[in-house]
Amino acid sequence: MLESQKLVRILHMNAIQRLWSTLPFAIALAVLVFLGWGASSALDYPYDGVTRYDPYGVVQEIDLNGPTAGVLQVEDQTLSINGVPWNEARPLYATSNAGDVVQQEVLRVGEQISVGFQLVEPSFEELITRLSPLLVALFFWLVAVGLQAFKPAYEPTTLLFFFFQSTAALLIAGATSSIGPVWTSSLL
């Protein structure tokens, strides 16, 4: 009876060790799916030509070749987008696509006005800007997977693996925080 209990314990330990050894690859798969979703979101999100808002909706910088050039001005405060108040409009164009016309209520020099413009496909430069943190995240992901896959049996690289995977996940969350759902920005 004692021998069978030892055998059960050994089999149980091996199952736990097998589960523990696959956990890093499950985490890597989850981060890779998150990366794919982030890249897809970055590629599909329409471009409005505003390169920087402050947290209160004040336009800080406008692309002179973008669709808002001549429509919005620096220091305009966006009050609402398509009837959705600024503080609830995350992402700004959640249901819009390139080609859609957007109506914004803005406060310009103390006067509330309504402006409209058409969203466009992002330019190549804008896509590079959106995808560059995701490419860095992919690099971190590859380093982590390489460490885990090719580590010597005696080397404790699990901590480095988790560092690189969490760094990749945070880079993805940061890159998608303005174009993705609200939960992506709450990861930061």
Side-chain angles (χ1 to χ4, degrees), residues 27-154:
I27 291 170
L29 181 61
V31 172
L32 185 61
V33 167
F34 189 31
L35 179 64
W37 171 82
S40 173
S41 297
L43 292 171
D44 291 340
Y45 195 74
Y47 184 59
D48 65 357
V50 178
T51 56
R52 197 164 49 109
Y53 285 102
D54 81 356
Y56 304 103
V58 177
V59 176
Q60 299 291 308
E61 191 175 342
I62 295 175
D63 178 359
L64 297 177
N65 297 319
T68 54
V71 178
L72 289 176
Q73 298 175 4
V74 173
E75 296 300 318
D76 280 354
Q77 181 178 10
T78 303
L79 303 173
S80 68
I81 299 171
N82 287 337
V84 179
W86 168 261
N87 58 347
E88 297 173 16
R90 294 290 185 275
L92 298 180
Y93 310 113
T95 60
S96 302
N97 297 310
D100 292 349
V101 174
V102 173
Q103 293 296 320
Q104 284 192 7
E105 293 294 322
V106 298
L107 190 61
R108 180 179 293 161
V109 193
E111 181 182 345
Q112 184 172 336
I113 60 171
S114 181
V115 296
F117 55 89
Q118 186 175 23
L119 297 172
V120 297
E121 292 285 334
S123 66
F124 180 74
E125 292 82 15
E126 176 64 19
L127 288 176
I128 294 299
T129 300
R130 292 180 185 181
L131 292 175
S132 59
L134 298 175
L135 291 172
V136 174
L138 178 62
F139 173 76
F140 275 89
W141 183 86
L142 287 169
V143 168
V145 170
L147 277 171
Q148 192 65 21
F150 301 111
K151 71 178 181 177
Y154 57 87

